[in-house]
Amino acid sequence: MMTSPDSPPLVSPSPCPAPPPSLPSSPVPSSPAPSSSSLPAPPSLPPTGEVMVLALGRKKQRVLIALSILPNLFLAFLLSSDPLITLSPPHHCHLPGPLPSPEVLNASLPWEKGERPGDSGGLSQCKQYVNGSQSAVVDCEAGWDYNVTEGLRNNIVTEWDLVCGQYWLVPVEEVCFILGVLVGCLGLGYAADRLGRSKTLLTSLTLSVVFGVLVCVSPYPSIFIVMRFCLAAASGGVYLTLYITRLELCEPSLRLVGTMLAGLMTVAGELLLLAVALGCQSWRGLLGAGAAPLTLFLSYGIPGVFPESPRWLLLSERSADMNSFSERRNSNRDVRDDESFTELDSEPTPSSRPHLSFPELFHSRNIWKNMCVLGFTSFISHGISHCYSSFRGDVRGTAPSFYWTYLLSVCAGGGAWLLLWATVDRCGRRGILLLSMTMTGLASLILLGLMEYLSETAITVFSVLGLFSSQATASLCILFTAEIMPTIIRGSGVGAVLALGCVGRLSSPLMDLRNHYGYFLHHVVYSSLALLAVLSILLLPESKRKPLPQTLADGEQYRRPPLGRRRRDNVPLLATPNPET
């Protein structure tokens, strides 16, 4: 049908009629906004400490880790040189005339029985006959002649005649050196927490160079012992500060690799130490070769070369350091546009940074428990290593050569680091620590219970097994401690565990002072304590793939999981709480 132009247009039929005029169309009213409590939680940011580490950039992070590893090559010269500079070679009283023949020695020196089982004895090293007659015996009157076949031709024993009546000075020097490392770990570890890693490192390096020079020019044994004590304290501080700084520069996936590379660098330094000793043949040149290169690392104090640990900066009130860190981060093109750092910049600056509260530390029972267990394990593992090194000589009376013992100990340390690298990230810190401590105790029990029935080969095999497992235990104890101690006391915590390891090492020079009298009881005590340490390890938490704790409250969250709960290690963030959130 045709319509006129003035007529209204026809409306096509529709299944939904239009609303009446009295009800104008409007959008459907929205449902009330849900409360903030019902909204899903926004995705959590990465841990603040991890963000600050990643802000360095991958390339800068790798360079800093490498700079923290390199000094270990020369620290080995200062921390592992005692066996070379205190080695006592075969000697006898100096006799007049040219080099005496065996017949003259037999006629001039009395025969002495061996003091160890199986030792047939030999010519006296401290006595001689009066005027060639065998009627009377006196002490050496004109000094001693040394038959140096191993180690340094000139060490402190041969230069100052520290034999016979003066031999007690050698164990005293070894005890003072170990006590120096103990004092350095405790004192400089605390300083690293309060003053910062960088300042403590530079102070320790400076003191190591100064006392290293003073040791090399020491004219008397007494001055040498005092200077060695100070050098040990400074060198222990360098080692500890580098250790915790390196760990704080790594994210969880790099912590084990970085620590393993540093351990292998120390092993390389110990092998280089032996090579340099064979070349220079002087204890002064050997220690100088270790102290002189440390002067190069004083360049770490140049601004921008080796900055302060970013994790420690988060706990300090030094806004200038934080601002300089932000400037370095902003200048890094690789991370400038990262969203996480934009979010970090938008966070308000807290009015105050957390300080160490001694009452809170005193009541942090979980931290104390973990520290006591790891310290006890470190004490046993360091102390029992000497038992394996000297077991053959104690039982059979025929000690192996110095080169064999030294290379065996160094290679066992290197093998222990390779074992930890291959297993710890797969099986967990606590599981491998439990396994290595169990192997240490079993090797001791087999050697002690079956030593009358074991052949020379079997004794060597079980001694190597015990030495290998004890060194793996000692190395893993330090890594474990550094991972579960919060940043605010990490230097003090790791220093305390290293100090307890030094207490265990004191048994070695003390046994030498008593000529290994009572070695069997000494080994039995350590073996019994090793079994007790196996049970105490079960109380430890697991730190695999977890971020480093920052405060005491974070450290208290590292607790042992229930024994009956199965954990999914492939998704650790869903199975365990994040200590930094």
Side-chain angles (χ1 to χ4, degrees), residues 3 12 24 38 48 129 134 241 244 269 348 429:
T3 60
S12 60
S38 62
T48 307
Y129 290 121
Q134 300 184 1
T241 310
I244 59 178
R429 275 66 165 159

Side-chain angles (χ1 to χ4, degrees), residues 216 266 269 367 485:
C216 294
T266 303
I367 293 178
M485 287 293 112

